[in-house]
Amino acid sequence: MRTDLQNFIDTIPAVGDASRQTETFWLNEKKVPQGEKRIDLVCPEQIDDARRRLERFAPYLCEAFPELRETGGIIESKLREIPGMKDYLNEVYGAGIEGRLLLKMDSHLPVSGSVKARGGIYEVLKHGEDLALEAGLLKETDNYRVLAEPKFREFFGKYTVQVGSTGNLGMSIGIMSAKLGFHVIVHMSADAKQWKKDLLRSRGVEVIEYADDYCAAVEQGRKNSDKDEQSYFVDDENSKNLFLGYSVAGERLKAQLEEQKIPVDEDHPLFVYIPCGIGGAPGGVTYGLKQIYGDHVHCFFTEPVHACCMLFGMATGLQDQVSVRDFGIDGRTDADGLAVGRPSAFVGRVVEPVLSGIATIEDQKLYDLMRGLLDREDIFIEPSSCASFAALIRPNDLKKYAEREGLLDKMPNATHIAWATGGNMVPEDTRREYLKKGLA
Ligand SMILES: *Cc1c(COP(=O)(O)O)cnc(C)c1O
């Protein structure tokens, strides 16, 4: 362990707990009222730009993925109330949830079956658009359906896209890049599941496997890509484009809440819980939601006990200058989508004024929650996804937060959204294995 970290362990209780690999809940003391402090690494206007880009691509996406016809080429997931799961959490974990509980089902996002279908696909589309515009093959005012024509596939075929991934990001980048016609290489860490590698290969994606962790796969991918002028590297550790792709979720969610007549205002707080790996997905979604709901939305990240890199980065203020290994933690978790040992280089700074807190959870509980959700709601989501319930099963900490924010009397009117981040594409035999995990 790094010796300069002892002081943090001794003085910040959540860091102490986390370093001993016990579940914990960190409340962000640096959160300030909305608008008081803005970190200008990304700006709100860029969310609009991202939304418009996705709209330009909608006719193409409709053409490329028949499953998107229903939504006119917009990749979006359902928002579903899960009263049975609320009862389950209250009965089994004493969660004491008063308001409504909903599930944001990014686990079932079309095309790649995880939250990565937001950021990952967005970044590939942006890169493709940049290349085609620059080459004079495309104008922003064109109907992007033309991108499905052989001439464009041939054009993109001269270029390579590369990414390092624990699995789901590789699926998004791989599927989308291959569809456009890019040569695509996915560098997979040891945590990545075999079925994800198989599926990608079946779609014409080159998969390179590493015996090492996520950071090593990213490092190799970056090196490989830097050697080739025609290659573009999707950099999960630094990418603003991924972040912006995720942030569009904010206004999409707003439309869904309005449609379901669920108010969000001073008397009706919204609580959102999002599983966190490197931080791009939960950070982007949080950023998008904060632009819309300001102080009325309360966003929490959730992490596995063995890979709580964002908690360490934010609670110590060291951000990406610290990793779970520096605390003597191995980074190994069954929550493969969250198996990241070092947080993003910029997300922690961007969300520092707006994030409410971070809860951590043991792997075993992820399986229990997975079975609970399947049993009560007939919804299957993958273990990583189940981390979205980590804060809800710590009622005392949530209460402390509500008290601090002056929300205690408003909690009966609160809406809680657990952000399910993956699961739809998990094959049947893997599901069966998961469902047996940790049972006596
Ligand atoms: C990637 C992923 C996350 C978290 O996203 P990050 O950008 O890595 O923080 C959460 N859940 C699942 C299932 C994922 O694949």
Side-chain angles (χ1 to χ4, degrees):
M1 202 193 84
R2 230 166 80 178
T3 49
D4 60 323
L5 298 174
Q6 191 60 46
N7 188 41
F8 294 112
I9 293 172
D10 296 339
T11 57
I12 307 170
V15 174
D17 292 339
S19 73
R20 289 183 289 274
Q21 300 174 50
T22 54
E23 290 181 345
T24 192
F25 200 129
W26 172 74
L27 286 183
N28 180 15
E29 303 288 340
K30 292 187 180 153
K31 177 173 172 286
V32 294
Q34 181 75 4
E36 213 165 79
K37 189 172 170 202
R38 205 165 92 189
I39 310 287
D40 284 320
L41 292 166
V42 283
C43 64
E45 295 71 36
Q46 289 176 297
I47 303 179
D48 236 30
D49 180 55
R51 177 181 52 78
R52 281 197 299 271
R53 181 163 293 106
L54 289 170
E55 280 164 13
R56 286 199 290 281
F57 271 98
Y60 164 72
L61 290 171
C62 242
E63 195 77 15
F65 300 101
E67 69 220 83
L68 292 176
R69 299 232 165 104
E70 206 183 311
T71 56
I74 295 298
I75 300 173
E76 194 43 72
S77 70
K78 292 201 164 57
L79 175 67
R80 193 175 128 180
E81 186 154 16
I82 44 170
M85 187 62 178
K86 174 181 156 181
D87 292 345
Y88 173 81
L89 295 175
N90 286 347
E91 287 161 24
V92 178
Y93 292 92
I97 303 166
E98 296 177 87
R100 308 164 84 153
L101 176 63
L102 292 94
L103 193 70
K104 180 59 180 154
M105 297 176 68
D106 278 7
S107 46
H108 293 63
L109 271 175
V111 181
S112 74
S114 83
V115 69
K116 303 294 194 310
R118 295 185 186 279
I121 288 177
Y122 174 75
E123 177 147 0
V124 173
L125 295 177
K126 170 145 190 349
H127 176 57
E129 184 185 52
D130 287 346
L131 288 173
L133 290 174
E134 201 180 312
L137 290 172
L138 186 73
K139 291 194 302 295
E140 276 191 21
T141 49
D142 286 346
N143 184 329
Y144 279 22
R145 189 173 295 139
V146 295
L147 291 168
E149 291 172 6
K151 149 180 121 173
F152 278 98
R153 289 191 51 82
E154 233 165 79
F155 170 69
F156 291 128
K158 292 184 291 195
Y159 297 92
T160 303
V161 173
Q162 306 198 42
V163 66
S165 173
T166 63
N168 286 339
L169 184 63
M171 297 267 281
S172 278
I173 302 286
I175 291 170
M176 190 66 246
S177 302
K179 186 60 99 176
L180 276 166
F182 284 111
H183 173 217
V184 48
I185 307 175
V186 176
H187 302 263
M188 287 280 204
S189 65
D191 309 280
K193 302 281 185 261
Q194 188 59 42
W195 67 266
K196 293 182 182 172
K197 301 174 197 166
D198 296 343
L199 186 143
L200 283 176
R201 287 185 173 125
S202 79
R203 306 262 180 122
V205 175
E206 188 178 333
V207 178
I208 303 181
E209 303 177 50
Y210 298 89
D212 220 328
D213 74 351
Y214 172 74
C215 291
V218 170
E219 210 35 59
Q220 276 307 316
R222 187 183 287 123
K223 259 194 210 145
N224 217 37
S225 188
D226 287 349
K227 278 191 290 203
D228 178 358
E229 269 199 13
Q230 305 289 75
S231 175
Y232 178 82
F233 184 65
V234 177
D235 188 350
D236 202 12
E237 291 173 343
N238 297 288
S239 174
K240 308 264 153 67
N241 287 324
L242 278 172
F243 187 87
L244 289 168
Y246 294 121
S247 71
V248 174
E251 51 195 272
R252 302 265 183 88
L253 185 76
K254 174 175 184 261
Q256 291 181 320
L257 285 167
E258 282 171 1
E259 196 186 321
Q260 298 186 28
K261 303 205 167 25
I262 297 173
V264 179
D265 54 37
E266 198 168 356
D267 295 316
H268 301 83
L270 175 64
F271 283 70
V272 180
Y273 311 95
I274 320 167
C276 177
I278 201 160
V285 171
T286 294
Y287 189 73
L289 284 170
K290 277 292 183 181
Q291 296 309 319
I292 291 164
Y293 293 119
D295 292 329
H296 306 321
V297 65
H298 305 271
C299 299
F300 295 85
F301 292 176
T302 58
E303 297 185 298
V305 163
H306 282 254
C308 55
C309 62
M310 191 55 81
L311 187 152
F312 282 135
M314 289 192 72
T316 62
L318 294 172
Q319 308 295 355
D320 63 328
Q321 298 307 303
V322 72
S323 79
V324 297
R325 294 228 166 132
D326 295 336
F327 282 92
I329 299 175
D330 59 9
R332 294 231 166 248
T333 167
D334 284 357
D336 55 334
L338 314 179
V340 179
R342 185 184 296 278
S344 156
F346 76 99
V347 170
R349 276 178 270 271
V350 174
V351 300
E352 191 172 81
V354 297
L355 186 70
S356 295
I358 301 176
T360 65
I361 185 166
E362 288 165 4
D363 280 10
Q364 172 57 41
K365 282 203 187 117
L366 300 176
Y367 291 109
D368 295 337
L369 290 161
M370 184 178 63
R371 285 185 282 264
L373 185 67
L374 185 65
D375 183 41
R376 299 295 177 102
E377 301 285 351
D378 201 23
I379 299 173
F380 175 86
I381 62 176
E382 65 188 69
S384 298
S385 241
C386 297
S388 56
F389 298 108
L392 281 162
I393 58 176
R394 298 184 61 99
N396 293 338
D397 294 288
L398 272 183
K399 197 164 166 199
K400 205 158 61 181
Y401 175 79
E403 201 169 353
R404 195 186 83 181
E405 297 280 312
L407 291 173
L408 275 184
D409 58 326
K410 294 172 182 152
M411 292 314 280
N413 307 329
T415 298
H416 300 272
I417 297 181
W419 209 283
T421 44
N424 193 31
M425 290 180 93
V426 177
E428 200 49 52
D429 53 340
T430 310
R431 286 184 194 206
R432 276 197 296 271
E433 259 171 56
Y434 282 163
L435 290 167
K436 281 189 294 206
K437 267 277 170 80
L439 287 180

